[in-house]
Amino acid sequence: MQAHYDVPCPPREKILEGLASMPTGTEILVATQREIVGFAAITPVYPGPGLGSGLFLKELFVSKQHRGSGVGKSLIQGLAKLALERGHARIDWTADRDNPRLRAFYEGLGGVPKPEKLFYRFEGSALHEAAKQGG
């Protein structure tokens, strides 16, 4: 995954520490074929439309050599089943606008893009500045 985002991989100890201290409610669904070939990281969200709950898919990742093999589809189907079993009414996620293959994948599964929504982020100095202004 780090290569996909073009960022360095942290040391193993840091990865294990992060997994051990995941925020409450965060879950990771893992796809394996003798080794981990993909995963989906989710968290429940509430409230949503109609004051219902849902899942937010933070990350869907399939290793490059397994893309197109059905791993991603299986992960999404597993998430949909999990959402329904838990009484959630929806799954929300983001996708890169400039990745037509990814968007075609989601839309091919029945995902509906919401062009009226924008994705925002605070990070780095903007995050620190927002915290300072918060009093």
Side-chain angles (χ1 to χ4, degrees):
M1 184 173 95
Q2 301 308 96
H4 175 76
Y5 287 114
D6 195 27
V7 295
C9 188
R12 179 178 172 80
E13 299 77 34
K14 185 86 170 162
I15 294 169
L16 294 174
E17 179 183 304
L19 288 169
S21 64
M22 285 190 306
T24 303
T26 302
E27 295 181 76
I28 300 175
L29 183 64
V30 177
T32 60
Q33 294 177 358
R34 294 195 189 113
E35 62 183 21
I36 295 175
V37 297
F39 68 88
I42 57 167
T43 189
V45 291
Y46 179 85
L51 296 178
S53 65
L55 292 176
F56 184 79
L57 172 60
K58 167 56 183 95
E59 192 73 49
L60 178 68
F61 179 78
V62 175
S63 61
K64 193 171 190 173
Q65 62 270 31
H66 290 92
R67 292 181 191 152
S69 71
V71 172
K73 182 177 182 178
S74 292
L75 285 166
I76 293 290
Q77 289 169 333
L79 289 179
K81 183 177 179 182
L82 184 67
L84 292 174
E85 288 172 356
R86 294 182 179 180
H88 298 301
R90 69 189 191 288
I91 300 173
D92 295 321
W93 67 92
T94 63
D96 293 335
R97 289 182 198 268
D98 62 350
N99 188 336
R101 184 174 177 209
L102 178 64
R103 293 177 64 188
F105 166 74
Y106 286 134
E107 291 174 24
L109 294 175
V112 179
K114 297 292 185 186
E116 67 276 11
K117 296 284 185 178
L118 291 176
F119 178 66
Y120 288 90
R121 173 179 292 154
F122 279 130
E123 66 183 347
S125 61
L127 177 62
H128 289 276
E129 189 59 36
K132 279 192 236 176
Q133 295 176 10

